[in-house]
Amino acid sequence: MATDKATLNVDGETFDLPIITGKLGRPVVDVSAFADAGYWTYDPGFKVTAPVESKITFINGGEGELLHRGYPIDQLADNAEYLEVCYALLHGDLPNAEQKKDFYAKIQQHSGVHDQLRRFFEGFRRDAHPMAIMVGVVGALSAFYHDGLDVSDEKHREITAIRLIAKMPTLAAMSYKYSKGEPFMYPRNDFNYAENFLYMMLATPADVDYKVNPVLSKAMDKIFTLHADHEQNASTSTVRLAGSTGANPYACIAAGIAALWGPSHGGANEAVLEMLDEIGTVENVDEFMEKVKRKEVKLMGFGHRVYKNFDPRAKVMKETCDEVLDALGIDDPKLELAMKLEKIALEDPYFVERNLYPNVDFYSGIILKAIGIPTSMFTVIFALARTAGWISHWLEMHSAPFKIGRPRQLYTGETKRDFVKLEDRK
Ligand code: SDX
């Protein structure tokens, strides 16, 4: 990496700040010298802060470009299976035939869960949000798999990555079945990863010769790929920060799930469907858009901290949406509504000036609804798919020495003052 330097002149002193240039994207200024100058850097929302170096994913927000280990997202979505993308995220490149066979076999072997976990689910109310269940259950895995908790042991780290990727579909489907009061379904060896997820979600024990529609399993697999990783987003940064304390990987992934749940992040796909329900018909769109401009509501599924051009995942998602609706013969009025919203947003100066384009969450909800998946499960599916990215970043952090993440602050509270007894307080 080429280096140069920036100079900080403050209080009559000059400090050299090294500039480090990576393989792609903006160079960074190493600001650790600020500590010597008696200052902290201040960057609410980390808009211009790179806390880590990474080789996993690259995003060029201006160009709408997303690479996983160098491969463009549309090429991965159209040509690779999700588990092949998981392998690339974990190991640095797509698997060859032998590596693929071995990896798939390990995922299949670990797709079941400890039977005692069933009782863990029973502690939740039936109407608990599946994300609330997932945060609890994934964190609880550290109480079951003690043979993979020594984060300093590479073998432990590897088996835990496999277990998490393998078990997320099973746990996600269990969280749904539990909320419906239906029996849990378990993964079958004759189904692939996406087929098994749809089977465990939508089949019942009576469906002895259940068949998965290949158009739907292919679309599901593509949705997993489109959500697999996304650089240092809020939930991935949460996983890294939790991991920097030495916390076990299950606890770190549970923290990532909790962070993803927010409507500004992974919860947006569920919020998009709620927004489309609230708008109701195409006739109400113009009035709704006026509410957005008055900042009374946000246009969910639009905008992005990094993409100030289109989100390349939204483009693939829209194509998949058309394929699924055609294959199912569904004429979903919500899609017509979504298209009208997109058209207005792409032409209206309010949105154009703010670079507000559809993001990955805008069309995913419509596809998932068409497949028969309830809105409450949309963010769970995002968490399922993003587990590969989260654990890859966690592994990357552990692959080299690291320090505990401990940001500082700009303090604007009370200056030092004497204690006031209760009787003297006003
Ligand atoms: C994901 O980081 C990632 O990579 C996340 C993700 C991933 O894969 O991990 O890509 C997944 O989280 C996608 C984003 C899903 N969230 C939504 O769809 C929720 C709606 N979007 C917004 O909440 C918002 O766009 C954010 C949170 C996504 C980004 O917010 P920023 O970068 O902090 O932008 P901002 O709030 O500074 O907005 C700039 C302007 C503001 O207007 P002005 O003050 O300039 O007048 O744009 C406006 C905002 O009010 N704006 C919106 C808007 N998003 C921003 N106005 C209406 N609707 C919106 N959705």
Side-chain angles (χ1 to χ4, degrees), residues 47 230 233 263-265 268 292 295 298-305 308 313 354 356 359 361 382 386:
K47 286 197 167 189
H230 213 239
N233 58 85
S264 288
H265 191 12
V292 173
K295 297 189 186 292
K298 280 201 184 280
L299 188 58
M300 300 312 278
F302 274 74
H304 199 279
R305 171 62 59 78
K308 297 310 174 192
R313 301 167 297 174
R354 292 168 175 79
L356 299 180
N359 57 47
D361 291 310
F382 194 151
R386 185 54 58 87

Side-chain angles (χ1 to χ4, degrees), residues 65-301:
E65 183 182 43
L66 167 58
L67 309 177
H68 291 318
R69 299 293 189 181
Y71 297 104
I73 187 64
D74 55 330
Q75 291 183 31
L76 289 172
D78 291 340
N79 304 298
E81 293 171 340
Y82 169 70
L83 285 183
E84 290 180 283
V85 176
C86 291
Y87 187 94
L89 293 173
L90 291 169
H91 299 291
D93 202 348
L94 292 165
N96 60 32
E98 191 188 334
Q99 291 163 335
K100 178 176 174 178
K101 186 164 172 278
D102 176 57
F103 185 64
Y104 278 45
K106 282 185 182 145
I107 293 295
Q108 185 178 81
Q109 178 194 346
H110 290 280
S111 56
V113 293
H114 193 293
D115 201 48
Q116 213 172 306
L117 261 174
R118 295 152 53 97
R119 283 220 290 278
F120 194 96
F121 278 83
E122 282 155 21
F124 293 100
R125 285 175 41 147
R126 289 286 179 180
D127 60 354
H129 193 291
M131 281 296 277
I133 297 176
M134 290 301 284
V135 171
V137 171
V138 172
L141 291 179
S142 52
F144 287 85
Y145 298 102
H146 296 117
D147 64 343
L149 294 182
D150 177 356
V151 298
S152 64
D153 182 330
E154 189 179 3
K155 287 270 170 271
H156 281 212
R157 298 199 295 267
E158 278 172 12
I159 182 60
T160 302
I162 293 278
R163 279 186 169 134
L164 279 160
I165 294 171
K167 296 178 191 312
M168 282 300 276
T170 309
L171 294 171
M174 288 171 82
S175 69
Y176 173 58
K177 286 296 192 185
Y178 181 73
S179 70
K180 286 190 68 180
E182 286 184 6
F184 294 144
M185 301 298 286
Y186 291 103
R188 290 174 28 172
N189 288 347
D190 58 333
F191 280 161
N192 67 32
Y193 194 83
E195 286 169 338
N196 254 323
F197 176 63
L198 292 176
Y199 166 70
M200 293 187 284
M201 277 284 296
L202 305 175
T204 66
D207 300 315
V208 287
D209 55 358
Y210 190 85
K211 296 275 181 296
V212 180
N213 180 332
V215 172
L216 303 191
S217 55
K218 191 165 170 287
M220 194 75 252
D221 195 82
K222 204 176 265 193
I223 288 173
F224 289 155
T225 294
L226 293 172
H227 288 85
D229 189 49
H230 213 239
E231 197 213 65
Q232 307 307 322
N233 58 85
S235 53
T236 300
S237 301
T238 301
V239 171
R240 279 183 175 260
L241 191 57
S244 75
T245 70
N248 78 67
Y250 299 109
C252 296
I253 299 301
I257 296 173
L260 184 76
W261 196 1
S264 288
H265 191 12
N269 50 20
E270 185 173 347
V272 166
L273 266 288
E274 287 159 5
M275 175 183 74
L276 295 175
D277 284 341
E278 184 199 330
I279 296 170
T281 64
V282 173
E283 290 69 33
N284 298 336
V285 167
D286 292 340
E287 184 200 338
F288 181 82
M289 291 307 234
E290 288 313 309
K291 278 173 73 177
V292 173
K293 292 177 186 175
R294 293 195 300 269
K295 297 189 186 292
E296 292 168 17
V297 290
K298 280 201 184 280
L299 188 58
M300 300 312 278

Side-chain angles (χ1 to χ4, degrees), residues 402-421:
F402 61 89
K403 289 190 173 307
I404 187 169
R406 199 329 184 163
R408 302 309 301 265
Q409 64 178 9
L410 172 68
Y411 176 72
T412 54
E414 293 291 338
T415 54
K416 200 167 170 185
R417 54 180 171 169
D418 296 332
F419 183 79
V420 179
K421 289 197 184 71

